[in-house]
Amino acid sequence: MKKKIVSLLFLCLVMLAVIACTDKEEPESTPEPAKEMLTVMSYNIHIANPPSKGEGFVDIEAIANAINKEKPDLVALQEVDKFTTRSGTSLDQAKEIATLTGMKYFFAKAINRSDGEYGVAILSKFSIENSKVFSLPVKTTGAELRALGLIETSLPNGKKIVFASTHLDHLSDENRELQVREVIKALIPYQDRPVILGGDFNMAPQNAIWNVVREQFVLGCKTCPSTFPATSPNTTIDYLLLNKQAAAYFTIKDYYAVPERYASDHVPIVMKIEY
């Protein structure tokens, strides 16, 4: 009898242990945050002058249409006029393109030109929290000063990033190398956060100056698409770049040239990056 009681007690204990294990909730796994896509563009707009129309003709709508088709979040523009006699004394090109694309804008003057201003610009779907312009010097006589314009903004998830636009000298490697070093120097205060840089660098991927650029930046393209001339592109001079922080934070999902042949003498380039 005593043995039966002990056996029953043992059986009860085993059953209780099984029930306890069954009722124990499995720890919930933390779901991975949803991925978002950021679309960035760089576009040398040739002061909104379609080459096929000759000097003096301006088609801002064509530039805006090329941008709207790609629906970018951020755009780096080069060769932008503001109140010039050659493009229109009442025309602020960056502002007008921003209006037609529904984006915010920042214009960064490089030089005075045609009784107005000429430089680079940035369009943004996000709020522009801060903006700055840096002048890029030249060494050779007859070369134009160039500019680096940048904005600080935040992604929808709150991550703060820097987006910049530049246009390097077209005459000599001597000027381009000097300007590249100035761009890197200007961006040092922002190196603790992701920086995306778009621009017309006026040099092919094989140029030795890229070795200087690669000290701080990663090219968005491995086999870079041709971007100039727009009618039949056969050389690459326009690029989108990521600094080391951006390269670690974003994943490049696509990078391509847009086949827009009319609006400018360059084609736009687009990079889609995931975060």
Side-chain angles (χ1 to χ4, degrees), residues 40-64:
V40 297
M41 173 185 280
S42 186
Y43 195 8
N44 181 323
I45 67 169
H46 192 246
I47 62 171
N49 166 228
S52 63
K53 295 294 186 179
E55 292 183 9
F57 185 90
V58 172
D59 194 340
I60 287 287
E61 289 79 8
I63 297 294

PDB file of all heavy atoms in Angstrom, residues 40-64:
ATOM      1  N   VAL A  40      18.152  58.765 -54.101  1.00  0.00           N
ATOM      2  CA  VAL A  40      18.913  60.006 -54.271  1.00  0.00           C
ATOM      3  C   VAL A  40      19.332  60.152 -55.730  1.00  0.00           C
ATOM      4  O   VAL A  40      19.531  59.172 -56.442  1.00  0.00           O
ATOM      5  CB  VAL A  40      20.143  60.059 -53.343  1.00  0.00           C
ATOM      6  CG1 VAL A  40      19.710  60.052 -51.887  1.00  0.00           C
ATOM      7  CG2 VAL A  40      21.095  58.899 -53.601  1.00  0.00           C
ATOM      8  N   MET A  41      19.458  61.394 -56.166  1.00  0.00           N
ATOM      9  CA  MET A  41      19.787  61.702 -57.561  1.00  0.00           C
ATOM     10  C   MET A  41      20.858  62.772 -57.624  1.00  0.00           C
ATOM     11  O   MET A  41      20.948  63.640 -56.746  1.00  0.00           O
ATOM     12  CB  MET A  41      18.521  62.190 -58.291  1.00  0.00           C
ATOM     13  CG  MET A  41      18.750  62.705 -59.706  1.00  0.00           C
ATOM     14  SD  MET A  41      17.242  63.423 -60.481  1.00  0.00           S
ATOM     15  CE  MET A  41      16.390  61.938 -60.993  1.00  0.00           C
ATOM     16  N   SER A  42      21.669  62.732 -58.667  1.00  0.00           N
ATOM     17  CA  SER A  42      22.562  63.840 -58.999  1.00  0.00           C
ATOM     18  C   SER A  42      22.332  64.192 -60.465  1.00  0.00           C
ATOM     19  O   SER A  42      22.209  63.305 -61.311  1.00  0.00           O
ATOM     20  CB  SER A  42      24.039  63.468 -58.778  1.00  0.00           C
ATOM     21  OG  SER A  42      24.867  64.590 -58.969  1.00  0.00           O
ATOM     22  N   TYR A  43      22.250  65.519 -60.741  1.00  0.00           N
ATOM     23  CA  TYR A  43      21.868  65.945 -62.085  1.00  0.00           C
ATOM     24  C   TYR A  43      22.510  67.291 -62.406  1.00  0.00           C
ATOM     25  O   TYR A  43      22.214  68.302 -61.778  1.00  0.00           O
ATOM     26  CB  TYR A  43      20.346  66.062 -62.144  1.00  0.00           C
ATOM     27  CG  TYR A  43      19.717  66.158 -63.515  1.00  0.00           C
ATOM     28  CD1 TYR A  43      20.452  65.976 -64.688  1.00  0.00           C
ATOM     29  CD2 TYR A  43      18.352  66.420 -63.641  1.00  0.00           C
ATOM     30  CE1 TYR A  43      19.846  66.047 -65.927  1.00  0.00           C
ATOM     31  CE2 TYR A  43      17.735  66.494 -64.881  1.00  0.00           C
ATOM     32  CZ  TYR A  43      18.491  66.303 -66.027  1.00  0.00           C
ATOM     33  OH  TYR A  43      17.888  66.381 -67.260  1.00  0.00           O
ATOM     34  N   ASN A  44      23.389  67.285 -63.391  1.00  0.00           N
ATOM     35  CA  ASN A  44      23.916  68.537 -63.940  1.00  0.00           C
ATOM     36  C   ASN A  44      22.890  69.021 -64.967  1.00  0.00           C
ATOM     37  O   ASN A  44      22.718  68.413 -66.025  1.00  0.00           O
ATOM     38  CB  ASN A  44      25.273  68.310 -64.606  1.00  0.00           C
ATOM     39  CG  ASN A  44      25.874  69.600 -65.162  1.00  0.00           C
ATOM     40  OD1 ASN A  44      25.174  70.466 -65.679  1.00  0.00           O
ATOM     41  ND2 ASN A  44      27.187  69.720 -65.071  1.00  0.00           N
ATOM     42  N   ILE A  45      22.207  70.133 -64.642  1.00  0.00           N
ATOM     43  CA  ILE A  45      21.051  70.553 -65.455  1.00  0.00           C
ATOM     44  C   ILE A  45      21.409  71.508 -66.591  1.00  0.00           C
ATOM     45  O   ILE A  45      20.518  71.944 -67.326  1.00  0.00           O
ATOM     46  CB  ILE A  45      19.957  71.172 -64.572  1.00  0.00           C
ATOM     47  CG1 ILE A  45      20.432  72.501 -63.949  1.00  0.00           C
ATOM     48  CG2 ILE A  45      19.504  70.179 -63.505  1.00  0.00           C
ATOM     49  CD1 ILE A  45      19.318  73.293 -63.277  1.00  0.00           C
ATOM     50  N   HIS A  46      22.697  71.896 -66.726  1.00  0.00           N
ATOM     51  CA  HIS A  46      23.107  72.732 -67.854  1.00  0.00           C
ATOM     52  C   HIS A  46      22.248  74.001 -67.933  1.00  0.00           C
ATOM     53  O   HIS A  46      21.758  74.390 -68.987  1.00  0.00           O
ATOM     54  CB  HIS A  46      23.010  71.919 -69.157  1.00  0.00           C
ATOM     55  CG  HIS A  46      23.673  72.552 -70.342  1.00  0.00           C
ATOM     56  ND1 HIS A  46      22.966  73.006 -71.441  1.00  0.00           N
ATOM     57  CD2 HIS A  46      24.971  72.801 -70.602  1.00  0.00           C
ATOM     58  CE1 HIS A  46      23.792  73.500 -72.345  1.00  0.00           C
ATOM     59  NE2 HIS A  46      25.029  73.390 -71.852  1.00  0.00           N
ATOM     60  N   ILE A  47      22.053  74.619 -66.775  1.00  0.00           N
ATOM     61  CA  ILE A  47      21.221  75.822 -66.590  1.00  0.00           C
ATOM     62  C   ILE A  47      19.844  75.693 -67.270  1.00  0.00           C
ATOM     63  O   ILE A  47      19.283  76.675 -67.747  1.00  0.00           O
ATOM     64  CB  ILE A  47      21.939  77.125 -67.000  1.00  0.00           C
ATOM     65  CG1 ILE A  47      22.312  77.152 -68.488  1.00  0.00           C
ATOM     66  CG2 ILE A  47      23.185  77.338 -66.144  1.00  0.00           C
ATOM     67  CD1 ILE A  47      22.824  78.514 -68.979  1.00  0.00           C
ATOM     68  N   ALA A  48      19.340  74.447 -67.276  1.00  0.00           N
ATOM     69  CA  ALA A  48      18.021  74.163 -67.873  1.00  0.00           C
ATOM     70  C   ALA A  48      17.948  74.545 -69.346  1.00  0.00           C
ATOM     71  O   ALA A  48      16.887  74.885 -69.862  1.00  0.00           O
ATOM     72  CB  ALA A  48      16.906  74.855 -67.084  1.00  0.00           C
ATOM     73  N   ASN A  49      19.085  74.453 -70.008  1.00  0.00           N
ATOM     74  CA  ASN A  49      19.178  74.788 -71.430  1.00  0.00           C
ATOM     75  C   ASN A  49      19.344  73.509 -72.256  1.00  0.00           C
ATOM     76  O   ASN A  49      20.439  72.946 -72.307  1.00  0.00           O
ATOM     77  CB  ASN A  49      20.361  75.729 -71.666  1.00  0.00           C
ATOM     78  CG  ASN A  49      20.735  75.866 -73.132  1.00  0.00           C
ATOM     79  OD1 ASN A  49      21.915  75.770 -73.487  1.00  0.00           O
ATOM     80  ND2 ASN A  49      19.768  76.111 -73.996  1.00  0.00           N
ATOM     81  N   PRO A  50      18.300  73.023 -72.897  1.00  0.00           N
ATOM     82  CA  PRO A  50      18.435  71.833 -73.743  1.00  0.00           C
ATOM     83  C   PRO A  50      19.410  72.117 -74.880  1.00  0.00           C
ATOM     84  O   PRO A  50      19.225  73.088 -75.631  1.00  0.00           O
ATOM     85  CB  PRO A  50      17.013  71.614 -74.279  1.00  0.00           C
ATOM     86  CG  PRO A  50      16.120  72.362 -73.330  1.00  0.00           C
ATOM     87  CD  PRO A  50      16.916  73.530 -72.866  1.00  0.00           C
ATOM     88  N   PRO A  51      20.470  71.330 -75.019  1.00  0.00           N
ATOM     89  CA  PRO A  51      21.471  71.582 -76.058  1.00  0.00           C
ATOM     90  C   PRO A  51      20.897  71.692 -77.465  1.00  0.00           C
ATOM     91  O   PRO A  51      21.386  72.462 -78.290  1.00  0.00           O
ATOM     92  CB  PRO A  51      22.408  70.377 -75.933  1.00  0.00           C
ATOM     93  CG  PRO A  51      22.256  69.937 -74.514  1.00  0.00           C
ATOM     94  CD  PRO A  51      20.830  70.188 -74.168  1.00  0.00           C
ATOM     95  N   SER A  52      19.845  70.949 -77.735  1.00  0.00           N
ATOM     96  CA  SER A  52      19.259  70.966 -79.078  1.00  0.00           C
ATOM     97  C   SER A  52      18.569  72.285 -79.396  1.00  0.00           C
ATOM     98  O   SER A  52      18.293  72.587 -80.562  1.00  0.00           O
ATOM     99  CB  SER A  52      18.254  69.822 -79.233  1.00  0.00           C
ATOM    100  OG  SER A  52      17.173  69.987 -78.323  1.00  0.00           O
ATOM    101  N   LYS A  53      18.306  73.104 -78.386  1.00  0.00           N
ATOM    102  CA  LYS A  53      17.595  74.366 -78.589  1.00  0.00           C
ATOM    103  C   LYS A  53      18.532  75.558 -78.732  1.00  0.00           C
ATOM    104  O   LYS A  53      18.088  76.662 -79.080  1.00  0.00           O
ATOM    105  CB  LYS A  53      16.640  74.621 -77.419  1.00  0.00           C
ATOM    106  CG  LYS A  53      15.507  73.628 -77.295  1.00  0.00           C
ATOM    107  CD  LYS A  53      14.566  73.738 -78.487  1.00  0.00           C
ATOM    108  CE  LYS A  53      13.349  72.856 -78.310  1.00  0.00           C
ATOM    109  NZ  LYS A  53      12.417  72.959 -79.445  1.00  0.00           N
ATOM    110  N   GLY A  54      19.812  75.380 -78.452  1.00  0.00           N
ATOM    111  CA  GLY A  54      20.749  76.494 -78.568  1.00  0.00           C
ATOM    112  C   GLY A  54      20.727  77.392 -77.335  1.00  0.00           C
ATOM    113  O   GLY A  54      19.867  77.280 -76.460  1.00  0.00           O
ATOM    114  N   GLU A  55      21.708  78.288 -77.273  1.00  0.00           N
ATOM    115  CA  GLU A  55      21.849  79.173 -76.116  1.00  0.00           C
ATOM    116  C   GLU A  55      20.656  80.114 -75.975  1.00  0.00           C
ATOM    117  O   GLU A  55      20.072  80.548 -76.965  1.00  0.00           O
ATOM    118  CB  GLU A  55      23.142  79.984 -76.231  1.00  0.00           C
ATOM    119  CG  GLU A  55      24.404  79.145 -76.111  1.00  0.00           C
ATOM    120  CD  GLU A  55      25.668  79.987 -76.155  1.00  0.00           C
ATOM    121  OE1 GLU A  55      25.557  81.230 -76.113  1.00  0.00           O
ATOM    122  OE2 GLU A  55      26.758  79.404 -76.235  1.00  0.00           O
ATOM    123  N   GLY A  56      20.311  80.408 -74.734  1.00  0.00           N
ATOM    124  CA  GLY A  56      19.244  81.358 -74.460  1.00  0.00           C
ATOM    125  C   GLY A  56      17.880  80.744 -74.251  1.00  0.00           C
ATOM    126  O   GLY A  56      16.964  81.404 -73.762  1.00  0.00           O
ATOM    127  N   PHE A  57      17.736  79.455 -74.599  1.00  0.00           N
ATOM    128  CA  PHE A  57      16.449  78.794 -74.414  1.00  0.00           C
ATOM    129  C   PHE A  57      16.478  78.047 -73.085  1.00  0.00           C
ATOM    130  O   PHE A  57      17.407  77.292 -72.792  1.00  0.00           O
ATOM    131  CB  PHE A  57      16.184  77.814 -75.556  1.00  0.00           C
ATOM    132  CG  PHE A  57      14.824  77.177 -75.513  1.00  0.00           C
ATOM    133  CD1 PHE A  57      13.745  77.768 -76.151  1.00  0.00           C
ATOM    134  CD2 PHE A  57      14.623  75.978 -74.834  1.00  0.00           C
ATOM    135  CE1 PHE A  57      12.485  77.178 -76.109  1.00  0.00           C
ATOM    136  CE2 PHE A  57      13.367  75.389 -74.791  1.00  0.00           C
ATOM    137  CZ  PHE A  57      12.291  75.991 -75.434  1.00  0.00           C
ATOM    138  N   VAL A  58      15.457  78.241 -72.256  1.00  0.00           N
ATOM    139  CA  VAL A  58      15.396  77.614 -70.936  1.00  0.00           C
ATOM    140  C   VAL A  58      14.119  76.796 -70.824  1.00  0.00           C
ATOM    141  O   VAL A  58      13.031  77.275 -71.158  1.00  0.00           O
ATOM    142  CB  VAL A  58      15.446  78.678 -69.817  1.00  0.00           C
ATOM    143  CG1 VAL A  58      15.182  78.054 -68.454  1.00  0.00           C
ATOM    144  CG2 VAL A  58      16.799  79.383 -69.820  1.00  0.00           C
ATOM    145  N   ASP A  59      14.248  75.551 -70.343  1.00  0.00           N
ATOM    146  CA  ASP A  59      13.092  74.672 -70.185  1.00  0.00           C
ATOM    147  C   ASP A  59      13.143  74.046 -68.788  1.00  0.00           C
ATOM    148  O   ASP A  59      13.569  72.900 -68.604  1.00  0.00           O
ATOM    149  CB  ASP A  59      13.097  73.593 -71.264  1.00  0.00           C
ATOM    150  CG  ASP A  59      11.754  72.867 -71.360  1.00  0.00           C
ATOM    151  OD1 ASP A  59      10.993  72.928 -70.379  1.00  0.00           O
ATOM    152  OD2 ASP A  59      11.489  72.243 -72.411  1.00  0.00           O
ATOM    153  N   ILE A  60      12.720  74.823 -67.810  1.00  0.00           N
ATOM    154  CA  ILE A  60      12.713  74.357 -66.423  1.00  0.00           C
ATOM    155  C   ILE A  60      11.783  73.158 -66.249  1.00  0.00           C
ATOM    156  O   ILE A  60      12.059  72.219 -65.492  1.00  0.00           O
ATOM    157  CB  ILE A  60      12.279  75.502 -65.472  1.00  0.00           C
ATOM    158  CG1 ILE A  60      13.407  76.533 -65.348  1.00  0.00           C
ATOM    159  CG2 ILE A  60      11.905  74.968 -64.095  1.00  0.00           C
ATOM    160  CD1 ILE A  60      14.593  76.090 -64.535  1.00  0.00           C
ATOM    161  N   GLU A  61      10.644  73.179 -66.973  1.00  0.00           N
ATOM    162  CA  GLU A  61       9.681  72.089 -66.846  1.00  0.00           C
ATOM    163  C   GLU A  61      10.295  70.752 -67.253  1.00  0.00           C
ATOM    164  O   GLU A  61       9.988  69.720 -66.653  1.00  0.00           O
ATOM    165  CB  GLU A  61       8.442  72.369 -67.705  1.00  0.00           C
ATOM    166  CG  GLU A  61       7.547  73.473 -67.184  1.00  0.00           C
ATOM    167  CD  GLU A  61       8.072  74.871 -67.513  1.00  0.00           C
ATOM    168  OE1 GLU A  61       9.056  74.975 -68.289  1.00  0.00           O
ATOM    169  OE2 GLU A  61       7.503  75.847 -66.994  1.00  0.00           O
ATOM    170  N   ALA A  62      11.162  70.755 -68.263  1.00  0.00           N
ATOM    171  CA  ALA A  62      11.787  69.502 -68.704  1.00  0.00           C
ATOM    172  C   ALA A  62      12.684  68.924 -67.615  1.00  0.00           C
ATOM    173  O   ALA A  62      12.725  67.707 -67.398  1.00  0.00           O
ATOM    174  CB  ALA A  62      12.591  69.741 -69.986  1.00  0.00           C
ATOM    175  N   ILE A  63      13.413  69.794 -66.923  1.00  0.00           N
ATOM    176  CA  ILE A  63      14.257  69.345 -65.808  1.00  0.00           C
ATOM    177  C   ILE A  63      13.383  68.779 -64.691  1.00  0.00           C
ATOM    178  O   ILE A  63      13.654  67.693 -64.155  1.00  0.00           O
ATOM    179  CB  ILE A  63      15.112  70.513 -65.268  1.00  0.00           C
ATOM    180  CG1 ILE A  63      16.092  71.022 -66.342  1.00  0.00           C
ATOM    181  CG2 ILE A  63      15.850  70.085 -64.003  1.00  0.00           C
ATOM    182  CD1 ILE A  63      17.160  70.045 -66.750  1.00  0.00           C
ATOM    183  N   ALA A  64      12.333  69.503 -64.341  1.00  0.00           N
ATOM    184  CA  ALA A  64      11.431  69.052 -63.275  1.00  0.00           C
ATOM    185  C   ALA A  64      10.776  67.716 -63.634  1.00  0.00           C
ATOM    186  O   ALA A  64      10.638  66.839 -62.771  1.00  0.00           O
ATOM    187  CB  ALA A  64      10.377  70.118 -63.003  1.00  0.00           C
TER     188      ALA A  64
END
